[in-house]
Amino acid sequence: MRKSELLKFLKWRFGEMKTLRLRLLFFGFYLLSVTCLYPGEVWGRLIGRVTDAKGQSVARAIVTIARERNLPLARVSTNDCGEFEFSGIVPGAHRLRVAADGFGAFEQRLVTKGSSTLSVGIIVYAN
């Protein structure tokens, strides 16, 4: 390889590296601005407990959260104490649905705000 070809190659290669560094720098600033300017816009939390009419926990109930008029966002199963948790919930209107064997279906509309934690108690009734 001649000296002039080597110099051209090195200039081209270092130019690419400079461009890559600038792109990474701008991407880092973008991520920082999104998390600093809108910290409450992306991380809400929803916790709750599912019980029957007598106050007994309903284990292994399927709890689904969905945005209004959209497909489900997430689905979890209650633990042995009937408790469930959703995290990373976008603020706004949602529908919460609960289904458990031997119990009627339950649906509730709720609104989450910012980075707050919303706690709900759900009572399901036997079929």
Side-chain angles (χ1 to χ4, degrees):
M1 194 180 258
R2 289 187 285 169
K3 187 176 180 181
S4 62
E5 290 175 350
L6 180 61
L7 286 174
K8 281 183 185 179
F9 175 76
L10 290 176
K11 284 181 183 177
W12 173 75
R13 191 69 169 148
F14 284 117
E16 267 191 7
M17 294 302 285
K18 187 176 180 181
T19 303
L20 179 62
R21 278 191 227 135
L22 284 174
R23 286 181 182 169
L24 288 174
L25 182 66
F26 284 122
F27 183 67
F29 281 127
Y30 170 75
L31 288 179
L32 184 63
S33 67
V34 167
T35 56
C36 289
L37 294 176
Y38 305 104
E41 292 298 314
V42 289
W43 306 116
R45 188 168 162 237
L46 174 66
I47 59 173
R49 184 166 183 240
V50 179
T51 59
D52 63 12
K54 296 178 184 175
Q56 299 295 314
S57 300
V58 178
R60 292 175 297 286
I62 303 299
V63 184
T64 306
I65 188 167
R67 293 284 283 175
E68 288 277 327
R69 301 183 205 110
N70 283 341
L71 296 174
L73 293 174
R75 179 176 290 163
V76 296
S77 181
T78 59
N79 62 17
D80 291 337
C81 298
E83 300 167 332
F84 64 91
E85 177 179 347
F86 293 103
S87 57
I89 303 297
V90 176
H94 296 81
R95 289 204 182 277
L96 189 68
R97 293 182 182 106
V98 178
D101 289 339
F103 295 92
F106 174 89
E107 185 172 318
Q108 177 181 350
R109 183 182 181 277
L110 49 91
V111 177
T112 58
K113 297 180 181 179
S115 61
S116 63
T117 298
L118 182 61
S119 180
V120 294
I122 299 169
I123 300 173
V124 290
Y125 295 94
N127 286 338

